């Protein structure tokens, strides 16, 4: 069942919506409700969910701000916005944050169920696509579990320790090696198998699976789709058969590793200078409440996943943490050098809710903006 959270500041409305749908009958699990966006985020952090139904106007954190944060932190969550007739001006902003549906109050049970079932179809499709992506990785892990040499062989604790070392070396090379270095690395990597007494099909298969597993994981760590990048290696059985033949093992190994190395280099090269551009853009748009990872990635011409990976690699922190820190640092500067009110400063650093700004400021600085100014 897909988990649903309801965010609405009016208790009577929450009660009405909660009771008007037979959630389990339609394949949903109603797991909680909140009176504002802050409370909702706490529930989502603790339990996770697939669908959020939220009002637009709420105290502390409204539905638009909640949608903005959800789109950054939990991009797969589907959002249904509830609004009144006089709130059409929010529709465009809601769409900008990828809100799935925009419903006018009062919402009839039939309309809400219809909307939920439409989202359920989308979630089912995404789950199916995710399953296909995971299938290769799971299949590799299955081979991994069944191809490890058994205790009856001569592989001892020292041998296993060496295997861990070699696997670490392989992953390090995939993340940092260059194409011209592949042959030298493989001579070293493949040679260790030939030196073992266990030069059996089982051990050779284990080497192949270890390599496939590492390559798949590194592609995923880079934010890539392993099924797409490694599409030529989805036939695990076929790869293993090639790997255990001495005349083809080097060729197939080189082909696999080169695919990952070239993919990694392409990602890094396409992002060269992107972080510098992003930092400048962030600094000049701090007052923009629409300053999301997606917006900045679009500005520098990269996909969100690619930009997120490159940004964290170069900055050491993820985009959200960096942006929050920059905003708080600028707020501290304004508190020290100006007489602007807390609400004015909150607006200048990109918070549309002064109360939420104060909460974030205190969490980072250990004191409220007022205490910081007076200190």
């Amino acid at each position: 069942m897909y988990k649903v959270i309801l965010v609405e500041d009016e208790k009577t409305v929450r009660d009405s919506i909660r009771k008007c749908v037979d959630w389990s009958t339609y394949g949903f699990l109603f797991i909680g409700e909140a009176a504002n966006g802050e409370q909702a985020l706490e529930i989502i952090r603790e339990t996770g969910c697939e669908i959020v139904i939220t009002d637009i106007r709420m105290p502390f954190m409204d539905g638009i701000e909640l949608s903005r944060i959800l789109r950054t932190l939990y991009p797969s969550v589907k959002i249904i916005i509830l609004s009144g007739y006089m709130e059409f001006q929010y529709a465009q902003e809601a769409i900008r944050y990828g809100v799935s549906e925009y419903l006018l109050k009062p919402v009839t049970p039939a309309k809400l169920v219809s909307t939920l079932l439409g989202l359920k179809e989308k979630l089912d499709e995404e789950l199916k696509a995710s399953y296909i992506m995971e299938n290769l990785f799971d299949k590799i892990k299955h081979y991994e579990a069944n191809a490890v040499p058994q205790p009856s062989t001569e592989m001892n604790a020292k041998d296993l320790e060496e295997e861990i070392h070699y696997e670490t070396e392989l992953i390090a090379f995939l993340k940092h090696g260059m194409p011209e270095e592949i042959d030298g690395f493989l001579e070293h990597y493949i040679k260790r198998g030939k030196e073992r007494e266990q030069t059996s099909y089982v051990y050779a298969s284990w080497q192949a699976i270890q390599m496939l597993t590492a390559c798949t994981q590194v592609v995923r760590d880079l934010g890539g789709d392993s099924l797409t990048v490694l599409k030529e290696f989805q036939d695990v059985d076929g790869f293993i058969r090639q790997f255990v033949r001495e005349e083809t093992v080097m060729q197939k190994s080189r082909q696999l590793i080169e695919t990952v190395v070239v993919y990694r280099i392409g990602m890094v090269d396409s992002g060269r200078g992107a972080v510098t551009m992003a930092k400048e853009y962030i600094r000049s748009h701090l007052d923009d409440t629409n300053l999301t990872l997606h917006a900045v990635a679009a500005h520098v011409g990269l996909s969100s996943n690619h930009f997120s990976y490159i940004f964290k690699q170069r900055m050491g922190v993820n985009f959200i943490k960096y942006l929050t820190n920059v905003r708080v640092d600028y707020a501290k500067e304004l508190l020290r050098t100006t007489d602007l009110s807390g609400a004015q400063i909150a607006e200048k650093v990109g918070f549309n809710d002064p109360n939420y700004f104060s909460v974030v400021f205190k969490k980072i600085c250990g004191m409220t903006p007022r205490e910081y100014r007076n200190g």
Side-chain angles (χ1 to χ4, degrees):
M1 290 188 177
Y2 295 117
K3 292 180 285 188
V4 179
I5 289 176
L6 173 62
V7 193
E8 164 64 61
D9 59 325
E10 296 184 29
K11 187 177 185 304
T12 55
V13 177
R14 291 203 307 271
D15 291 343
S16 174
I17 292 176
R18 185 184 66 251
K19 296 174 182 177
C20 78
V21 176
D22 187 355
W23 302 94
S24 60
T25 297
Y26 297 106
F28 299 99
L29 181 63
F30 189 92
I31 63 169
E33 54 188 74
N36 59 63
E38 288 183 17
Q39 293 178 6
L41 284 175
E42 288 301 318
I43 297 174
I44 294 169
R45 289 189 186 104
E46 292 177 4
T47 65
C49 73
E50 285 76 38
I51 298 177
V52 172
I53 304 172
T54 178
D55 189 16
I56 278 190
R57 289 187 179 274
M58 295 180 295
F60 301 109
M61 185 192 296
D62 63 19
I64 296 296
E65 179 69 8
L66 174 61
S67 299
R68 183 183 71 80
I69 294 172
L70 288 176
R71 189 53 55 229
T72 302
L73 298 180
Y74 310 101
S76 64
V77 170
K78 307 303 179 189
I79 304 169
I80 300 175
I81 285 282
L82 308 178
S83 74
Y85 283 103
M86 301 303 294
E87 296 168 337
F88 284 114
Q89 66 269 27
Y90 290 101
Q92 186 174 2
E93 192 169 2
I95 292 171
R96 186 181 299 121
Y97 292 127
V99 169
S100 304
E101 297 289 343
Y102 193 88
L103 303 180
L104 289 175
K105 292 181 179 179
V107 181
T108 65
K111 179 61 177 176
L112 181 55
V113 168
S114 174
T115 300
L116 286 167
L117 290 178
L119 293 182
K120 185 175 184 295
E121 287 185 9
K122 293 180 182 179
L123 287 166
D124 287 342
E125 291 173 2
E126 292 174 4
L127 188 63
K128 182 178 179 180
S130 176
Y131 173 78
I132 292 172
M133 182 182 295
E134 293 291 335
N135 186 52
L136 173 61
F137 195 67
D138 289 342
K139 190 172 183 180
I140 291 174
K141 298 300 276 187
H142 169 76
Y143 274 97
E144 182 182 49
N146 289 280
V148 177
Q150 300 300 311
S152 59
T153 70
E154 296 183 21
M155 178 169 276
N156 54 35
K158 181 179 178 181
D159 293 330
L160 291 173
E161 186 176 330
E162 289 180 0
E163 285 303 312
I164 294 173
H165 171 73
Y166 277 113
E167 185 175 15
T168 302
E169 279 192 345
L170 172 58
I171 291 174
F173 184 83
L174 291 169
K175 291 185 174 181
H176 305 289
M178 300 303 291
E180 61 271 19
E181 300 169 337
I182 294 176
D183 287 337
F185 172 79
L186 283 177
E187 287 289 345
H188 162 71
Y189 180 81
I190 300 297
K191 182 181 178 182
R192 110 272 193 181
K194 296 178 181 179
E195 292 175 344
R196 288 195 180 280
E197 292 182 19
Q198 304 100 322
T199 54
S200 64
Y201 180 91
V202 172
Y203 185 73
S205 299
W206 164 243
Q207 274 193 296
I209 291 161
Q210 185 184 57
M211 188 176 291
L212 273 172
T213 303
C215 288
T216 301
Q217 189 60 57
V218 168
V219 169
R220 293 173 59 167
D221 288 345
L222 291 170
D225 180 351
S226 60
L227 283 181
T228 301
V229 178
L230 303 176
K231 61 184 178 182
E232 296 181 25
F233 305 94
Q234 292 180 38
D235 180 4
V236 178
D237 296 308
F239 180 78
I240 291 176
R241 285 195 296 272
Q242 293 291 321
F243 199 92
V244 299
R245 294 169 55 193
E246 187 171 349
E247 63 271 24
T248 57
V249 60
M250 184 66 76
Q251 173 194 347
K252 299 306 293 185
S253 298
R254 190 185 203 292
Q255 184 182 356
L256 175 60
I257 289 184
E258 186 175 40
T259 298
V260 178
V261 170
V262 170
Y263 173 73
R264 187 204 76 227
I265 292 172
M267 287 190 68
V268 174
D269 285 348
S270 66
R272 194 175 302 280
V275 172
T276 300
M277 290 173 59
K279 288 166 64 178
E280 293 174 355
Y281 186 77
I282 289 169
R283 186 65 184 178
S284 61
H285 290 77
L286 276 183
D287 60 342
D288 184 0
T289 57
N290 297 325
L291 189 62
T292 63
L293 181 147
H294 305 285
V296 178
H299 173 74
V300 300
L302 300 175
S303 71
S304 297
N305 285 343
H306 186 178
F307 172 71
S308 177
Y309 168 76
I310 290 173
F311 191 90
K312 186 171 183 179
Q313 287 291 106
R314 293 180 178 270
M315 300 304 299
V317 295
N318 64 35
F319 175 83
I320 288 295
K321 187 170 184 179
Y322 176 84
L323 175 59
T324 302
N325 288 337
V326 170
R327 280 177 160 157
V328 169
D329 286 343
Y330 185 40
K332 289 161 65 176
E333 179 183 336
L334 294 175
L335 287 166
R336 291 193 307 266
T337 61
T338 73
D339 295 325
L340 294 173
S341 68
Q344 290 173 317
I345 290 176
E347 184 178 356
K348 280 188 171 292
V349 298
F351 289 85
N352 57 16
D353 186 335
N355 292 318
Y356 183 58
F357 161 67
S358 183
V359 170
V360 173
F361 190 96
K362 185 173 183 178
K363 184 176 181 180
I364 293 178
C365 302
M367 62 183 74
T368 66
R370 183 187 295 275
E371 291 170 341
Y372 181 86
R373 171 172 273 169
N374 294 336

